Amino acid sequence: MSTIIVVGAGINGVTAAIELKKRGHKVSLVDPGPLPHPLAASTDVSKAVRAAYGADQDYTSLAERSIQLWRKWNQEFGVELYHEIHFLFLRQRAMQPGDFEYESFKLLEKRGHKVERIDSRVLHERFPAWNAERYPDGFLDLEAGYAESGRVVAQLIEHSKSLGVGLCEGSRFSALVEHDGRVRGVVLHDGRSVAADVVIMAVGAWTPYLLPFTKNFFRATGHAVFHLKPRQEKLFQPEQFPVFGADLSSTGFYGFPIGREGVVKIARHGPGREMPPDSPDRVVTAEEESRLREFLAETFPALADALVVNSRICFYCDTHDGDFWIARDPERAGLIVAAGDSGHGFKFAPVLGELIADAVEEKSNPLLNKFRWRPEVQPGDKKEAARFLPAKS
Ligand SMILES: Cc1cc2nc3c(=O)[nH]c(=O)nc-3n(C[C@H](O)[C@H](O)[C@H](O)COP(=O)(O)OP(=O)(O)OC[C@H]3O[C@@H](n4cnc5c(N)ncnc54)[C@H](O)[C@@H]3O)c2cc1C
């Protein structure tokens, strides 16, 4: 049994704490709180859950396992926090080999998923909020949906406490305690040192700022998210308006139907704005909102002038290649970094804890090679097949 401190109680930290506690370790989880932390990436009303990952078999099969476990979590927690309401991937041109959508469709079809090709006629008939002429091709993934992310984190925090994880909400990491090339604990903001055999840093976009020696590996980038109140609510219910990606490689826009909060959530995947997650510039700009309005007018005319009831900047912790980073630091024994979500980690919540715990225990896990410590990866090495191309600008 090891004494383990997990720093950061987003989805990486809380799932790691639960899994390591189940494996018999003594685990503390440290976060400034309140949890779920309002500035954490894992917060917010929804995150997309999909196995569509272009031609990337690793993420596709990991997501397949994750989706099975999301269904199980719904049962075990006795509350439906994963909603399998389908995912519509559309293109403004015909799908072609090499496209994210085409490659995803082909791989999912080959692996026996329920997928349906969608053209403008079907789009018009079944999904009336869409400007169907603009999106002639795409597919509906019937084994996908979204998870209520903030509520999932809250549920997992409660679960971790019930298992005996020591929750230090209100404590902030300030430095590693290091002796003789080994990490031996952490120093908290009040100056207290807490000893541990292993420290797991799961602080998302804060990683390059709290561990400056990782700043060549990670970039914290902010991305605008909007919650809109539609006038014609019926058009945006899940049956007629599943989770969507609107030609992701050209527009970057994706979003979610009306859920518990009565809002449509829309965000834009792209390069984002690099800044520290505590920056005062962490607010949506007029330019980001005007780009949203342009997109809405072209794609969902009934939402074009909908009221924005909430907006936020959510942070990715980007790696240069877009793959996660779950690895032991080769230069600091006892330190594990579980970060680098690159904007696509939440869907894997049910399998993240296992991956991180395997890294801690040095158990063999083929994915840990993909997510290894890899200083050799340089800016510009992005493997777009793993996700989708960022939108221009
Ligand atoms: C706009 C946006 C949309 C996204 N959409 C999706 C999606 O649809 N599907 C999907 O799968 N993924 C999505 N993601 C990615 C997903 O949200 C992330 O992969 C995931 O939430 C990252 O979790 P994390 O635990 O690494 O980081 P976080 O959730 O950011 O958690 C980090 C934690 O560290 C804590 N912390 C910070 N400083 C300290 C300190 N000094 N001491 C202690 N703790 C500290 C914070 O309080 C926070 O709780 C999206 C991300 C964004 C930004």
Side-chain angles (χ1 to χ4, degrees), residues 86-307:
H86 312 160
F87 199 132
L88 195 49
F89 294 93
L90 293 170
R91 279 192 71 79
Q92 297 181 353
R93 293 167 301 284
M95 295 201 290
Q96 282 175 16
D99 294 341
F100 171 78
E101 289 80 3
Y102 179 92
E103 297 299 337
S104 300
F105 178 65
K106 285 292 163 197
L107 186 57
L108 293 178
E109 202 178 34
K110 190 167 139 205
R111 294 172 78 98
H113 288 242
K114 293 184 206 138
V115 281
E116 248 181 78
R117 193 93 182 230
I118 301 287
D119 60 18
S120 289
R121 188 185 54 79
V122 178
L123 189 61
H124 179 71
E125 281 169 17
R126 288 172 48 194
F127 307 107
W130 285 81
N131 173 2
E133 282 67 44
R134 206 175 172 94
Y135 293 89
D137 201 2
F139 72 97
L140 184 68
D141 178 356
L142 288 99
E143 295 174 63
Y146 74 93
E148 292 184 60
S149 37
R151 288 169 62 95
V152 168
V153 173
Q155 179 78 37
L156 293 172
I157 292 288
E158 286 311 308
H159 185 49
S160 74
K161 286 198 278 187
S162 75
L163 292 173
V165 169
L167 181 64
C168 310
E169 190 174 349
S171 293
R172 188 184 295 271
F173 164 96
S174 83
L176 295 169
V177 176
E178 292 181 69
H179 299 300
D180 311 323
R182 207 190 151 83
V183 168
R184 309 209 177 246
V186 298
V187 183
L188 300 177
H189 66 297
D190 57 7
R192 238 172 353 120
S193 287
V194 187
D197 305 313
V198 175
V199 173
I200 300 174
M201 290 298 288
V203 289
W206 285 268
T207 314
Y209 302 96
L210 293 176
L211 300 178
F213 55 87
T214 65
K215 71 175 189 302
N216 290 335
F217 315 148
F218 304 118
R219 286 171 67 237
T221 58
H223 303 258
V225 179
F226 300 90
H227 293 179
L228 298 142
K229 190 88 191 150
R231 283 210 196 87
Q232 292 168 262
E233 293 201 349
K234 194 164 170 285
L235 280 181
F236 300 96
Q237 297 298 330
E239 309 73 47
Q240 303 197 76
F241 195 74
V243 184
F244 70 86
D247 198 352
L248 287 163
S249 40
S250 71
T251 77
F253 282 104
Y254 61 95
F256 303 80
I258 289 184
R260 194 186 297 273
E261 287 74 12
V263 295
V264 171
K265 171 180 157 181
I266 299 193
R268 188 173 183 217
H269 175 75
R273 285 188 273 141
E274 185 169 3
M275 59 181 149
D278 300 317
S279 164
D281 295 332
R282 193 178 172 153
V283 281
V284 168
T285 62
E287 196 192 333
E288 284 162 341
E289 180 159 351
S290 95
R291 181 66 195 94
L292 170 80
R293 293 286 175 202
E294 215 179 288
F295 164 74
L296 294 175
E298 290 162 0
T299 300
F300 307 123
L303 269 189
D305 57 357
L307 188 68

Side-chain angles (χ1 to χ4, degrees), residues 11-12 31-32 37 41-42 47-48 173 254 314 341 343 345-347:
I11 201 63
N12 271 305
D31 197 291
H37 196 288
S42 306
K47 301 283 171 181
F173 164 96
Y254 61 95
C314 179
D341 70 274
F346 200 90
K347 67 183 69 60

